[in-house]
Amino acid sequence: MPCNANPIALCLERLLKSPEVHAPHLLHDWPRARRASAVLCLALVMAGCALPGPQAPAQLYALSLPTPNLSRETAAASATPVCSLQFALRELELAGALDRPEVILRRDGPRLQASAMHLWAAPLRSELSRLLGAGLEQSLRGARQWPYPLRFGQRPDVLLSMTFDDFTRTGEAMVLSMRWQAWTIPLASQPARWLAGQTVQVTQSASPLSNQAGVTDQASQTVALMNSTLRSSIDLLAKQLISDPAIAPLCQPATSSVGLPRN
């Protein structure tokens, strides 16, 4: 029963059908009948108001990478490619708690706060994979991402795999913990060979987001903080790739260290 239904008419209808009214032995006890009717009417009104009304539609959110803020010095240097690495993202894994359609608003110790009213517009796994590839091309300035699975004859320098162990907001900071590994391209005569692997750990405060336009509710603040933290994590990942002894030679534009000509 909707809460705006006429409770008086409903109570009168129920009262006329009530056994307290029609039973002959109760005709001498009208106060009791009135009390029973009042209780019945109150219960009916409360039951009608307790039924849920129409719910607001769920809000959908998508991750995006902020544009890197380059100073005058780094802006001039950005015209020169830093690393011409050719890579493909072989797989991206999420910790079980992260692999869900709801936006995780906050972590409080072992408890995660999420809501069915705040959902990802696309699976988080696919969004992170898309942004990691695009972000590495920006941060490395000269790198190229190959679509995966690879087609016959395509031979990038490395296959990258990523595992997100944490990407949640704790208090006023976002914590991202990601492990990456790099592998050679498997050939008919040679299986894939592990090259390198490290951990990216970034903790970013929410304070720089307090004055951003449009960042008002908790879900929007969390997603905006995830965007900036992911940007910082990709920049750190790019630095790790460039400085790794096994990956650094692959940044040269001529040929890869495994002797495979670049397509």
Side-chain angles (χ1 to χ4, degrees), residues 49-68:
C49 292
L51 289 177
Q55 294 184 350
Q59 301 295 314
L60 301 181
Y61 299 85
L63 290 176
S64 62
L65 286 181
T67 303

Side-chain angles (χ1 to χ4, degrees), residues 193-239:
R193 178 170 53 89
W194 184 86
L195 291 175
Q198 295 187 48
T199 298
V200 175
Q201 186 84 29
V202 173
T203 301
Q204 186 151 332
S205 172
S207 56
L209 302 172
S210 57
N211 296 324
Q212 286 190 11
V215 182
T216 55
D217 61 278
Q218 185 179 9
S220 297
Q221 291 175 359
T222 298
V223 174
L225 189 55
M226 293 179 72
N227 291 335
S228 60
T229 306
L230 184 60
R231 172 81 268 175
S232 301
S233 302
I234 293 175
D235 292 340
L236 178 57
L237 170 60
K239 293 178 181 179

Side-chain angles (χ1 to χ4, degrees), residues 16 24 27-28 45 88 99 127 150-152 157 175 178 183 192 224 233 235:
L16 292 176
L27 291 178
H28 66 279
V45 172
D99 194 8
E127 284 292 278
L150 298 172
R151 290 183 292 181
F152 180 77
D157 297 322
V175 177
M178 175 185 68
W183 304 77
S233 302
D235 292 340

Side-chain angles (χ1 to χ4, degrees), residues 36-105:
S37 301
V39 172
L40 175 63
C41 288
L42 180 60
L44 289 172
V45 172
M46 293 181 64
C49 292
L51 289 177
Q55 294 184 350
Q59 301 295 314
L60 301 181
Y61 299 85
L63 290 176
S64 62
L65 286 181
T67 303
N69 295 322
L70 299 177
S71 64
R72 291 184 178 180
E73 294 76 10
T74 57
S78 65
T80 304
V82 173
C83 178
S84 58
L85 181 71
Q86 299 189 29
F87 66 93
L89 291 179
R90 183 177 67 174
E91 59 183 352
L92 188 146
E93 295 295 332
L94 293 176
L98 304 177
D99 194 8
R100 58 191 310 117
E102 301 89 1
V103 177
I104 298 178
L105 303 177

